[in-house]
Amino acid sequence: MAFDPQREDYQRLGIRFAQSLHKSDARNAARTFATFGRRFAQDRDSLPQTDSDRAFHLVVLATRAIDYELPFATDLKAAQIIEDGHRMLDEAIALDPHCYDAIRMKAAATNPSFDAFLGFLNERQEEVRAWCEGERARIPLDEPDERYRLLADLAMRPYVRWVAAQAEEALICGRNKEALRLSHMLLELDPHDVADVRFTAAYAYAKLEDQQGLEALVSSNHAAGRLRPPDDAWTQLARLAIHFKRHDPSAAEAVLDALLASYPHAAEALIRQNELPDGVFSRLAVIPYSEDEIILAISEGMVLLQEGVEPQGHGVLGEWVSGMAAKRRPQALLAVLAQQSQQNDSGEDR
């Protein structure tokens, strides 16, 4: 799931282009539309678009830089990426003062703390909702054309991302019940859960040690027809955390074994427990059951793993998980130690 900003950009301009064609000349319209993909990739400025579309394209470029290039950049290149990303967000807001994706992303960088950013999101939530609902209300949903339904969905997405960010920040700030309230509100608005807010809710239930609530969430996801079974890393880490906090190590170990079976690279990731920067546009789009996904789930799961810090820097649960993963997969431990040794040697050489 997760949002793909480049796909969203393509959809916005594709609909705009289709609407510009004359319905009376269906043959020429179809021939002209066949050129859209090439023009989108090679000559975007030749396509019909509004300032709102241009602003969103700048958001896409900023997202590519900040969310997908910055985490892997050298210190020297990172400063330039940040500067370019912020400049593109400023340009987007100048083009479209209601580009709430850009407004939210800029605020994430400029607010001095998680609490301050959450406060900003809370203060402007109703403004964003009202604007997005106003945009959706202008779309003739009574028309049979499916493009209008897609337009209505696109109109609400900045608000969906806004509330998803609120839920994530509330979880980070320890406001777990608030995170759950926002998550469930968003699940009603976005039944397909493109924002993957159910993952945020799973960790909030784990923080509250509410196993019944977690399993009710899993059941409601299944009933709503969401595509994935409840063996994603977020759900399994939440279950593991609840069992561990309830002093039921055998149940926690059973969940750990299931997690290791679901994700081929889980052992090394659980031993390392690396923390990634949060996606600023939205939760990072990764392939289900991939190494990237387990790393992302562990990074977001630091709210659970780092409770009660141990001498090694892990929390009590994090230390237990790391040790058990090493015990279950000794070869993974050897691979992690070899990589750490190589990195240390490289640092000494410099």
Side-chain angles (χ1 to χ4, degrees), residues 203 233-234 237 292-302 305:
Y203 283 168
W234 287 266
L237 282 171
D292 287 339
E293 184 172 82
I294 184 66
I295 290 172
L296 178 61
I298 290 169
S299 179
E300 293 183 6
M302 291 301 175
L305 297 170

Side-chain angles (χ1 to χ4, degrees), residues 96-328:
D96 177 12
H98 298 286
C99 185
Y100 288 109
D101 286 311
I103 291 169
R104 174 177 52 80
M105 292 168 71
K106 187 66 184 291
T110 55
N111 275 276
S113 67
F114 292 118
D115 282 304
F117 182 42
L118 178 59
F120 170 85
L121 294 173
N122 290 342
E123 287 172 9
R124 300 192 65 174
Q125 177 192 344
E126 287 305 307
E127 171 194 338
V128 181
R129 180 190 60 79
W131 175 262
C132 292
E133 287 182 348
E135 292 294 288
R136 184 179 60 180
R138 292 162 46 187
I139 298 167
L141 288 174
D142 54 339
E143 294 285 340
D145 195 330
E146 285 297 317
R147 287 176 296 187
Y148 290 120
R149 297 189 182 280
L150 177 56
L151 272 178
D153 179 46
L154 294 175
M156 290 302 297
R157 286 193 177 184
Y159 179 63
V160 171
R161 287 189 280 268
W162 193 280
V163 178
Q166 280 180 279
E168 291 169 14
E169 292 301 310
L171 177 67
I172 292 169
C173 293
R175 303 180 189 181
N176 303 305
K177 291 182 179 179
E178 179 70 2
L180 286 174
R181 182 187 69 79
L182 291 162
S183 296
H184 284 289
M185 181 181 76
L186 192 52
L187 287 170
E188 290 183 12
L189 176 66
D190 174 28
H192 296 294
D193 193 23
V194 180
D196 287 336
V197 75
R198 66 192 184 281
F199 297 156
T200 304
Y203 283 168
Y205 278 122
K207 291 285 286 184
L208 294 169
E209 300 182 37
D210 185 353
Q211 185 172 10
Q212 184 176 357
L214 175 62
E215 296 308 326
L217 174 72
V218 170
S219 296
S220 67
N221 289 336
H222 180 72
R226 297 182 186 115
L227 299 180
R228 294 188 62 175
D231 62 350
D232 59 86
W234 287 266
T235 301
Q236 296 197 72
L237 282 171
R239 284 172 169 158
L240 189 156
I242 291 173
H243 291 314
F244 184 83
K245 290 180 179 183
R246 291 185 172 183
H247 306 289
D248 189 350
S250 61
E253 288 179 30
V255 176
L256 177 62
D257 289 336
L259 184 60
L260 293 171
S262 299
Y263 290 84
H265 302 282
E268 291 184 23
L270 289 167
I271 294 167
R272 289 196 197 96
Q273 295 183 25
N274 292 334
E275 195 164 3
L276 300 175
D278 292 330
V280 182
F281 177 75
S282 66
R283 178 175 272 111
L284 299 177
V286 291
I287 298 172
Y289 306 107
S290 65
E291 183 177 11
D292 287 339
E293 184 172 82
I294 184 66
I295 290 172
L296 178 61
I298 290 169
S299 179
E300 293 183 6
M302 291 301 175
V303 293
L304 303 171
L305 297 170
Q306 288 187 347
E307 288 181 326
V309 177
E310 288 285 312
Q312 289 80 1
H314 297 152
V316 175
L317 175 59
E319 189 66 22
W320 182 87
V321 166
S322 178
M324 291 302 298
K327 183 179 178 180
R328 291 290 204 275

Side-chain angles (χ1 to χ4, degrees), residues 16-38:
R16 193 86 61 196
F17 185 64
Q19 290 175 330
S20 72
L21 302 177
H22 294 292
K23 294 181 180 178
S24 58
D25 189 357
R27 180 179 298 178
N28 286 335
R31 186 182 300 115
T32 303
F33 191 79
T35 69
F36 171 75
R38 177 185 56 78

Side-chain angles (χ1 to χ4, degrees), residues 9-10 14 34 51 54 83 143 167 175 211 236 266 301 316 344:
D9 191 26
Y10 184 92
D51 282 347
R54 294 184 181 91
E83 181 181 341
E143 294 285 340
R175 303 180 189 181
Q211 185 172 10
Q236 296 197 72
V316 175
N344 292 337

